[in-house]
Amino acid sequence: MAKKPWGGRFQGSTEAEVEAFTSSLDFDRRLYRQDIAGSQAHARMLAKQGIIAPEEAAAIVRGLDEIRGEIEAGEFDWDPALEDVHMAVEARLTAKIGEVGRKLHTARSRNDQVALDVRLFLVEEVEGLLADLTELRRAGARLARRHFGVLLPGYTHLQRAQPVLFSHHLLAYDEMWRRDQARLTESLARIRVSPLGAAALAGTTFPIDPKFTAEQVGFPEVFRNSLDAVSDRDFLLEFLAHSGIIMVHLSRMAEELILWSGSEFAFVELPDAYATGSSIMPQKKNPDVPELIRGKCGRVCGHLLGLLMTLKGLPLAYNRDLQEDKEPLFDTMDTVKGAVRLMAGLLSNLKIRPERMAQALSGGFLTATDMADYLAAKGVPFRTAHEQVGLTVRFAEEQKKELWELSLEEIRRFAPQAEADLFDWLKIENSVARRTSPGGTAAVRVAEALARVEKELGL
Ligand code: ARG
């Protein structure tokens, strides 16, 4: 069993079960690149401030570069006794370059070190996620462009309500994803704050230059309070919350795809590559990918709750509880990225069935609101018009007819102000075309909206 780097004041060795329980090496080794970059920045700062000699810093930086190479080549021995990535890398450094390696941790603690590592990791990954969201938005915008002009029922309460453009429906999701990107982008400012220099909790007696270290790792800002710097995980809570919202958005879309791909709707056909069969029912094509996107939403939102509970009631400053931040972070990142990418792939390969959407436009009196608007425009108070149309709809239903299949005389029984031009208002296409109000579903408005989105996405 390796001697612990902190073993000075200890006589006994660690119980094996304790070691297994407390070790984070299995998961935090994922932070090796960030850990090395942070240590190199720290070593350079120590040399610049005259705390260690320039040759010592150079040896440390070089040794760490080599260690990165060893890890990437799969040659690094991850000794479980070494507790975490920070100690594993440092122990290897000392084994390689000797006593000088033991100077690296001057004016630093694992408490500020790990906080920096996680921040560096998150910045990089959030940038990747932002790019994935852009691809998702592009896939959605391309689909909206490809099927521009296709109509389907818009729903409220999952009841057919009014006809809308399929592209309009898709662009509603684009608005959600655009906000998701805005939230993540805005959060970057709070992630890019270097905690290095807070040391264990109270700062250090050495004449350090935290601003310089921050610049070395590309962070524009430095912590303002050392106690906060080592115990703040707000930036992770924010990320988990933003991820939860992204997953909720994806889950809503997934739910629609699941409904729409079933034979009751049959509005879309999922690409074979994104569906699976049943082991017993040969006829089945199951929407497993959207189902799992929907399902994984629970897990990501659970991570947010989990970390909130981990942080609740923690006294200042660092507590080992904080080690519990990493697994939810990693799992959330992997899950959200996977879901975003798969949804993009699904949309890129989605077949839609406009004829089925068109069928769903009849039989539901989807232009009843248009008839009420027509009457209201003629001076009938809207409430009265609403009532007149309701009676007309009931009559049409009894006659098993569409509104436009009634005669003007029949309609006038309920709506005396109706004239022949009403029939123009009852047509599905006209219902959509008339909704030219800002953000509405008329083709002119949706064309503007789509062009704006395409411009934002460089399409
Ligand atoms: N593995 C620890 C974590 O993830 C690193 C910091 C440990 N610091 C300490 N004083 N035990 O939080």
Side-chain angles (χ1 to χ4, degrees):
M1 200 179 287
K3 183 165 159 36
K4 307 287 190 219
W6 39 252
R9 57 111 54 227
F10 285 76
Q11 279 188 327
S13 58
T14 319
E15 188 71 45
E17 223 175 317
V18 171
E19 205 163 86
F21 190 73
T22 55
S23 172
S24 53
L25 202 51
D26 275 348
F27 48 87
D28 70 9
R29 62 168 78 172
R30 189 163 167 179
L31 297 171
Y32 77 90
R33 268 193 307 109
Q34 292 78 11
D35 196 65
I36 286 173
S39 288
Q40 290 177 325
H42 181 65
R44 290 196 180 100
M45 185 279 292
L46 291 176
K48 183 185 87 77
Q49 297 300 98
I51 300 167
I52 62 173
E55 318 79 71
E56 291 176 326
I60 289 173
V61 169
R62 207 175 325 112
L64 288 170
D65 276 336
E66 286 170 23
I67 292 172
R68 192 194 308 103
E70 291 171 10
I71 295 174
E72 279 164 8
E75 291 158 2
F76 191 88
D77 174 23
W78 295 101
D79 179 354
L82 284 172
E83 210 172 290
D84 59 28
V85 64
H86 324 292
M87 301 230 278
V89 170
E90 195 188 310
R92 177 72 187 130
L93 182 68
T94 303
K96 281 174 81 77
I97 67 170
E99 282 295 290
V100 184
R102 299 171 70 91
K103 290 198 174 184
L104 170 61
H105 215 49
T106 313
R108 187 177 69 167
S109 155
R110 274 187 294 159
N111 300 350
D112 55 347
Q113 184 179 0
V114 70
L116 176 70
D117 291 1
V118 174
R119 286 171 182 272
L120 287 172
F121 172 84
L122 193 56
V123 165
E124 215 175 285
E125 297 279 323
V126 164
E127 281 166 355
L129 178 56
L130 282 167
D132 291 341
L133 281 164
T134 295
E135 284 315 311
L136 172 61
R137 292 183 62 198
R138 286 187 176 141
R142 288 195 185 103
L143 190 62
R145 173 60 66 196
R146 205 155 46 243
H147 301 293
F148 197 91
V150 169
L151 303 179
L152 82 168
Y155 293 81
T156 63
H157 315 271
L158 203 52
Q159 310 285 318
R160 293 175 200 171
Q162 291 172 1
V164 295
L165 278 182
F166 175 65
S167 307
H168 192 53
H169 191 106
L170 281 175
L171 287 174
Y173 283 99
D174 187 73
E175 292 298 324
M176 302 179 214
W177 298 330
R178 199 168 68 93
R179 289 194 297 274
D180 291 336
Q181 285 189 311
R183 268 186 287 271
L184 287 173
T185 304
E186 184 228 309
S187 75
L188 282 171
R190 281 181 296 280
I191 308 172
R192 289 198 181 107
V193 179
S194 174
L196 213 58
L201 74 162
T204 170
T205 57
F206 290 94
I208 57 167
D209 182 355
K211 186 82 198 143
F212 178 83
T213 331
E215 278 160 17
Q216 291 282 302
V217 296
F219 280 4
E221 260 191 80
V222 176
F223 72 96
R224 303 191 339 169
N225 177 298
S226 61
L227 293 164
D228 178 55
V230 293
S231 61
D232 166 32
R233 295 293 184 274
D234 293 1
F235 61 101
L236 292 183
L237 288 177
E238 278 188 55
F239 173 69
L240 296 180
H242 297 162
S243 297
I245 297 174
I246 294 174
M247 290 303 291
V248 166
H249 291 159
L250 292 179
S251 178
R252 295 181 73 173
M253 176 172 254
E255 170 66 11
E256 294 198 324
L257 290 173
I258 293 162
L259 282 172
W260 288 3
S261 62
S263 48
E264 281 76 7
F265 279 84
F267 287 179
V268 299
E269 213 180 295
L270 296 182
D272 280 359
Y274 289 80
T276 56
S278 157
S279 55
I280 172 166
M281 297 165 283
Q283 84 284 11
K284 297 218 37 196
K285 181 165 157 186
N286 293 329
D288 298 44
V289 170
E291 284 175 310
L292 278 169
I293 290 174
R294 186 178 61 184
K296 283 173 192 286
C297 179
R299 151 181 187 162
V300 168
C301 295
H303 287 324
L304 169 62
L305 260 283
L307 188 62
L308 280 167
M309 290 306 100
T310 299
L311 295 174
K312 176 194 169 295
L314 275 194
L316 292 180
Y318 179 84
N319 298 273
R320 190 66 177 270
D321 313 47
L322 292 174
Q323 180 169 293
E324 288 292 308
D325 62 356
K326 283 165 210 66
E327 286 163 293
L329 167 64
F330 295 153
D331 187 64
T332 297
M333 192 56 85
D334 297 340
T335 306
V336 176
K337 279 188 168 169
V340 169
R341 286 190 203 167
L342 281 173
M343 188 59 96
L346 236 172
L347 293 186
S348 302
N349 296 288
L350 190 70
K351 269 213 223 64
I352 75 156
R353 302 187 57 189
E355 76 291 355
R356 288 286 309 189
M357 295 179 181
Q359 277 168 26
L361 288 167
S362 56
F365 305 106
L366 297 196
T367 53
T369 313
D370 298 81
M371 177 169 163
D373 285 354
Y374 166 87
L375 295 170
K378 296 226 169 222
V380 182
F382 186 80
R383 278 283 153 248
T384 310
H386 186 285
E387 206 177 328
Q388 293 178 349
V389 178
L391 293 168
T392 316
V393 164
R394 202 205 302 167
F395 176 76
E397 207 163 32
E398 282 160 12
Q399 304 289 309
K400 300 200 179 0
K401 282 182 175 169
E402 297 282 358
L403 283 176
W404 56 80
E405 289 169 346
L406 300 177
S407 69
L408 185 56
E409 290 63 44
E410 287 170 324
I411 290 175
R412 278 206 178 128
R413 276 193 233 157
F414 312 101
Q417 280 86 345
E419 291 174 53
D421 60 346
L422 167 67
F423 289 95
D424 201 42
W425 285 69
L426 296 179
K427 291 195 181 115
I428 296 285
E429 303 73 38
N430 292 345
S431 164
V432 172
R434 283 202 163 90
R435 282 183 167 64
T436 53
S437 56
T441 196
V444 274
R445 289 291 91 83
V446 179
E448 285 164 6
L450 181 53
R452 187 170 58 222
V453 166
E454 287 171 334
K455 193 161 166 241
E456 276 171 28
L457 297 172
L459 290 177

